[in-house]
Amino acid sequence: QVQLVESGGGLVQAGDSLRLSCAASGRTFSAYAMAWFRQAPGKEREFVAALRWIGTSTYYADSVKGRFTISRDNAKNTVYLQMNSLKPEDTAVYYCAAGISWGNYTPKNYPYWGQGTQVTVSS
């Protein structure tokens, strides 16, 4: 099993930046990919960004390309999501997830999830 704990959410204004962290523990060797999803009120869970645990590959949703950056620190078993130029539409609960393969960015590819951290962007 893989345990994930997110942190770093908060209330910011449009145009501001925020960095989310996801600390992983347990059987992290079984995770082929790490990803961030988000879910806004009244909407379905949405893919944001993914990172291949071994290697340098990353993948982003069109809505966040050029603004968000996913990265990792292998020594700390931690994944980050740097969010710049935040917009009100970025408001959501952000979830960290560990996946079982690379190249599949749907929720079913990510059996391990954190508890979520709230990001609120005001106008």
Side-chain angles (χ1 to χ4, degrees):
Q1 297 295 318
V2 177
Q3 294 80 46
L4 305 172
V5 179
E6 304 100 326
S7 62
L11 174 63
V12 298
Q13 295 183 351
D16 285 352
S17 297
L18 203 60
R19 189 176 78 159
L20 306 182
S21 298
C22 173
S25 61
R27 300 178 65 183
T28 56
F29 61 86
S30 65
Y32 285 81
M34 301 294 292
W36 290 93
F37 290 79
R38 66 187 182 187
Q39 187 164 20
K43 296 184 178 180
E44 295 185 351
R45 187 165 41 188
E46 175 189 25
F47 170 78
V48 176
L51 176 149
R52 191 171 187 173
W53 191 250
I54 301 176
T56 59
S57 297
T58 59
Y59 185 78
Y60 298 92
D62 288 342
S63 60
V64 305
K65 286 182 179 178
R67 299 189 299 120
F68 290 11
T69 302
I70 186 171
S71 62
R72 69 176 187 240
D73 186 331
N74 289 349
K76 298 181 179 179
N77 283 332
T78 300
V79 178
Y80 305 96
L81 184 67
Q82 178 66 45
M83 304 183 292
N84 297 329
S85 301
L86 283 163
K87 306 174 181 179
E89 50 262 44
D90 294 319
T91 295
V93 176
Y94 283 71
Y95 297 93
C96 178
I100 59 177
S101 67
W102 175 249
N104 186 335
Y105 312 112
T106 60
K108 71 176 183 179
N109 190 54
Y110 296 87
Y112 308 107
W113 296 83
Q115 81 287 351
T117 185
Q118 176 71 48
V119 173
T120 302
V121 184
S122 63
S123 300

